Amino acid sequence: MAKNRAVKRTLSAPPGEHSPGGQTESAKNSEAVEPIRWLNEEELHAWMALVGMVTKLPAAMDRQLQQDAGLTHFEYQVLVGLSRAPEHTLRMSELAGFTASQLPRLSQVATRMERRGWLTRRPDPTDGRYTLAGLTEAGMAKLEASAPGHVSAVRRLVFDSLSPTQVRQMAQIARTIMQAAGSAELH
């Protein structure tokens, strides 16, 4: 029975390090094709910094938008996505891609936003299998009223402490990671 219990590992354990059960990783999993490439100390510190950032930054954005505008960060992203679209209209599937969300979650949020008068939904006249989301005048007004406080928070939390070189590096690094994460979804 003890053989099947989960073994807690750190991300930085070197390959071949003995597990708490006394077996090496390769001995425990003889079917593995590739050895585990554990993180070195520098990679571990970078990873922990990234995890901290992707955890704390969205929470800070949510707090600011909730306090100042009565919006979640996700709702704000929906408004932004629609505001940038031609005729302020997108298929729900395209809006889900823009907000990096699943359609069921987007649909729930869109229902709330519809009740508030910020967007409308209707069948796509070119293909009835799709639903179009459109930004209303009230939705655009909400976005315009919310944007100054949000941009101030983004500046304070992200850009004010970075040099122009760091901003360019951050953009390049973020695009590279997003591309790798996007291709990982396909596997």
Side-chain angles (χ1 to χ4, degrees):
M1 199 72 162
K3 265 183 157 177
N4 293 331
R5 71 181 170 89
V7 176
K8 185 177 178 184
R9 293 199 154 277
T10 64
L11 295 172
S12 62
E17 185 74 24
H18 288 280
S19 70
Q23 297 177 341
T24 64
E25 190 63 33
S26 59
K28 285 175 55 182
N29 190 1
S30 59
E31 296 176 20
V33 177
E34 293 182 30
I36 296 172
R37 293 176 43 223
W38 298 104
L39 302 181
N40 64 36
E41 284 301 309
E42 185 175 17
E43 291 168 333
L44 180 62
H45 289 293
W47 172 246
M48 296 308 293
L50 179 63
V51 168
M53 181 191 72
V54 299
T55 302
K56 292 179 181 181
L57 189 58
M61 294 289 92
D62 260 338
R63 275 191 307 277
Q64 179 275 316
L65 284 164
Q66 287 281 2
Q67 290 171 353
D68 296 350
L71 283 171
T72 65
H73 190 245
F74 186 77
E75 291 168 333
Y76 184 85
Q77 288 302 103
V78 169
L79 294 174
V80 168
L82 291 173
S83 75
R84 296 174 54 112
E87 300 179 31
H88 303 301
T89 302
L90 280 175
R91 284 182 173 173
M92 288 288 286
S93 55
E94 294 170 328
L95 189 54
F98 178 81
T99 59
S101 68
Q102 299 294 318
L103 273 172
R105 177 181 183 212
L106 177 60
S107 184
Q108 290 175 345
V109 170
T111 298
R112 276 197 321 263
M113 294 177 79
E114 243 179 336
R115 285 189 204 124
R116 294 175 175 172
W118 298 338
L119 66 80
T120 60
R121 288 182 288 181
R122 62 184 166 84
D124 184 338
T126 63
D127 189 339
R129 295 175 297 170
Y130 296 99
T131 299
L132 297 177
L135 186 64
T136 64
E137 286 184 28
M140 182 60 89
K142 183 65 174 176
L143 177 61
E144 289 170 350
S146 306
H150 181 65
V151 170
S152 292
V154 169
R155 278 210 172 279
R156 180 176 46 81
L157 295 170
V158 179
F159 294 103
D160 287 350
S161 60
L162 299 177
S163 71
T165 299
Q166 288 173 315
V167 170
R168 285 189 296 278
Q169 290 169 336
M170 179 181 67
Q172 183 180 8
I173 290 166
R175 281 191 297 271
T176 301
I177 292 171
M178 286 190 312
Q179 185 177 17
S183 65
E185 290 175 8
L186 302 175
H187 294 72

